[in-house]
Structure formats: structure tokens, C-alpha cells
Amino acid sequence: MTNHPTLIRSVTYHGLEPGARLIVLGAVHGNETCGTRGIERVMAELDCGQLTLNRGLVTFVPVTNPLAFRLGQRMGERNLNRNFRISDTPLDFEDRIANRLGPLLAQHEVLLDLHSFHTPGEPFVMLGPRDNEGALEPFTHAAAEEALARRLGARRIVEGWLDTYARGVARRLRNPNADLRAQMLSTDPSYGIGTTEFMRARGGYALTLECGQHEAPEAPAVAYQAILNTLAHLRLVDSLPAPAPRQDPEVLRLVDVIDRDHPEDHFSRQWTSFDPIRKGDEIGRRHDGTPVLAPADGFIVFPNPNALPGNEWFYLAEASARMNTV
């Protein structure tokens, strides 16, 4: 591609007292602009003095992937939120973004990454793992993540991202089905690592908030309120009331990811994220007519009828007992 954007803009506000170091990202995917709008609104209030940062610091990156944002599409040359890592030999635009953004993330303690999704539905939070010492994603800040997740405003909370990706990667390695680099990355063991996983690996904690459907008029307000709630919860802004934790969270766990194998693979109906499914329900059909059936009762998540062959088509989730008690 030619005429790539040449910079990423970040703005940092410093309080005059010690406090947490927060970073907020918008437009990691270029067609997900609600985070950008929410960030711009909060920055305007800080700039005019309507909000005052009393302690700590907050860094805003309104447009994290400027190439994808300019094109109005999910990615520039590949998905920035997969294989997010520092590279000695960057091969594409997103590699070069990660080489600049990664060190910036590492300077902070808390990340709020603002996204949106394809199909209609209510906002939800993507939560990290429970505390563990495993090889895939060791972690020690689950309680802090859960506390913040309860205060972003969304009722629905989803866990199980990275270990689900590990299962998908193992399946792709057994049956490779891609010829573009953006697709071949899906067979890399690090494919599931995005901004939040990178942040956790650097000792911080992080949440992704999916603010609603891409074009939903209320999505920018969801992003804006989540930023304010985070600033208040972390005690960075004294004028904001402490947000009350949700008492009614619906927690789901991702359990599998199913890829689209062929351009003619298609869904059997117009699915929306978190539609309930029963064991044996027909979700879609492969290009040769083979039905794709629900293996158990649960939910369909992130159905993408336009997924590239060799990439994730939809996810399966089930109810989780996590966070059942306040």
C-alpha cells in the first residue's frame, strides 16, 4: 500500500498527586470509531477544565490504527489485535504500530481498549484469566480486573479468550487453509495475543469493552461513560462519583472458535452475538453442504458472515460461575 499514515497520536494528562497510570485506546480496528468519539469527548472536557485529573496519569490514543481508520475498515494490512508483539523485522504496517504502541502500553498499569462489533447487541466486557501460574497466560490481577469490569456499565462479561484461541490455533496447524500473511498469522501460536494480553504479560491489567454495534448511535456514549467510570474507580478524578458495581453480571466463557474454511461456507440464519443455541441446532453449512451443528447448549458469539477462509467464523460460549458473588 502507498500513502500510509506516518504517525500515531497519543496525549497524556498528568495529575499533580501520585496515582494509577491508565491508557485508553480507540480504533484499534479502523471501522470501530465509538472509542475514538468517546475519547475525544473526555479530552475536550479535560482541556476546557470541566474535568480535572487530580492524580496519576491517563494517556489517550484516539486512533490506534490510523491506516485502517483512514480506510474505514477493520484492518490496514492485517489485524492489529492479533499477534501483537515487538518485532525486530517488521513486515507490515501493523508490525510498525505495535513496535511503537507496545512500549507505550508497558509504561502504564491499566488499559481500557474500546471496540464495537458487527451485529446488533448489548455492550459487553472481555475479561482476562483468573489468577494462575500456567504457561499460556500467567496472571495475578484478576480481582482488580473483575472490580473494574463490574463498573464499566455493561451487564455481560465474557472470559476465556486466549485459551480458546490456543484450541483454534492447534486446529489450524492440523489443517492450514490460508495463503495471505494476514491469514497465515492465524496459525501462529501467538495469534490470540492482542493489546490486553500484551498488557497483562507486562505486569498490568486490561479490559476490552465492546460498546455495541459499529453504527449504533449510543455506542460513543457507552465508551464515554466507561472512560469516566474508569477514571472515577481508579480515583484519578475527584469530581466524579465512584461508580457502583453491577449486581447482575451475566458471565459467559468462550469454549471454542470455529473457522470459515471456504468462501461459500454460510450461516443458516442471521445470527447475532449471544443468541442462545441448543445442542444439535444447525448454525451453518460448509460449501459441500455439510451442516455445522451446535455441539452443546450455549451461545454463539462474534458471528462473522464475511470472515476470510482460514479465519474465525464464530465462537461458542457457555455460562460461567465466575463472579457469581459480589
Side-chain angles (χ1 to χ4, degrees):
M1 288 184 183
T2 58
N3 298 321
H4 283 176
T6 57
L7 57 83
I8 303 172
R9 174 174 172 253
S10 66
V11 179
T12 301
Y13 297 84
H14 298 263
L16 299 185
E17 300 295 333
R21 301 187 305 275
L22 168 68
I23 184 168
V24 184
L25 304 182
V28 166
H29 296 133
N31 61 338
E32 302 178 13
T33 61
C34 57
T36 304
R37 304 307 168 215
I39 288 170
E40 290 171 343
R41 185 176 171 188
V42 174
M43 287 177 58
E45 292 182 1
L46 286 164
D47 290 342
C48 76
Q50 183 176 341
L51 278 179
T52 298
L53 193 75
N54 299 102
R55 58 187 62 82
L57 63 84
V58 57
T59 297
F60 294 107
V61 186
V63 178
T64 307
N65 190 332
L67 175 58
F69 186 82
R70 190 189 71 193
L71 295 172
Q73 61 192 35
R74 182 173 175 81
M75 52 190 171
E77 295 181 336
R78 69 169 180 87
N79 191 338
L80 177 60
N81 218 27
R82 307 287 187 274
N83 279 78
F84 189 98
R85 57 186 173 184
I86 306 302
S87 174
D88 293 331
T89 55
L91 298 177
D92 52 41
F93 185 74
E94 280 74 9
D95 280 354
R96 291 189 284 277
I97 293 176
N99 278 355
R100 295 294 176 266
L101 186 61
L104 182 62
L105 289 174
Q107 296 170 17
H108 296 78
E109 298 169 291
V110 186
L111 164 64
L112 177 61
D113 195 355
L114 299 165
H115 287 251
S116 57
F117 45 85
H118 295 277
T119 53
E122 67 177 273
F124 64 95
V125 181
M126 294 294 297
L127 183 68
R130 304 181 193 214
D131 288 344
N132 72 94
E133 297 179 355
L136 183 63
E137 194 178 14
F139 193 51
T140 59
H141 299 300
E145 268 198 9
E146 291 176 7
L148 180 56
R150 284 185 182 273
R151 290 165 172 84
L152 292 184
R155 177 184 68 92
R156 183 171 284 138
I157 299 171
V158 181
E159 63 168 340
W161 176 266
L162 199 54
D163 52 356
T164 298
Y165 258 101
R167 285 189 287 276
V169 166
R171 186 180 297 122
R172 293 181 194 112
L173 288 170
R174 293 193 298 269
N175 183 31
N177 186 23
D179 54 7
L180 297 175
R181 180 169 188 262
Q183 295 166 248
M184 286 300 292
L185 286 170
S186 67
T187 61
D188 187 303
S190 299
Y191 181 58
I193 294 176
T195 58
T196 54
E197 291 77 21
F198 182 92
M199 189 74 173
R200 294 183 193 109
R202 271 38 181 202
Y205 64 95
L207 292 171
T208 296
L209 176 63
E210 299 278 355
C211 299
Q213 196 272 339
H214 296 325
E215 305 301 328
E218 66 274 12
V222 171
Y224 166 78
Q225 190 61 54
I227 298 169
L228 296 187
N229 287 3
T230 301
L231 292 171
H233 176 64
L234 296 177
R235 300 186 65 248
L236 301 183
V237 174
D238 289 339
S239 62
L240 296 172
R246 294 284 312 218
Q247 303 296 311
D248 60 343
E250 177 190 54
V251 185
L252 304 179
R253 178 172 182 81
L254 296 177
V255 294
D256 206 355
V257 55
I258 306 301
D259 289 349
R260 195 180 191 200
D261 293 338
H262 189 276
E264 295 180 13
D265 291 352
H266 62 277
F267 288 126
S268 298
R269 51 164 281 193
Q270 187 173 346
W271 294 102
T272 297
S273 271
F274 306 106
D275 278 344
I277 51 177
R278 303 284 297 186
K279 182 178 181 179
D281 283 352
E282 182 175 304
I283 295 173
R285 286 192 175 249
R286 298 297 184 182
H287 72 286
D288 62 0
T290 302
V292 179
L293 306 179
D297 294 352
F299 304 86
I300 188 169
V301 183
F302 293 141
N304 184 1
N306 301 314
L308 295 172
N311 279 254
E312 53 268 28
W313 193 19
F314 63 91
Y315 304 79
L316 296 169
E318 61 185 24
S320 169
R322 187 173 178 181
M323 296 171 62
N324 274 358
T325 57
V326 179

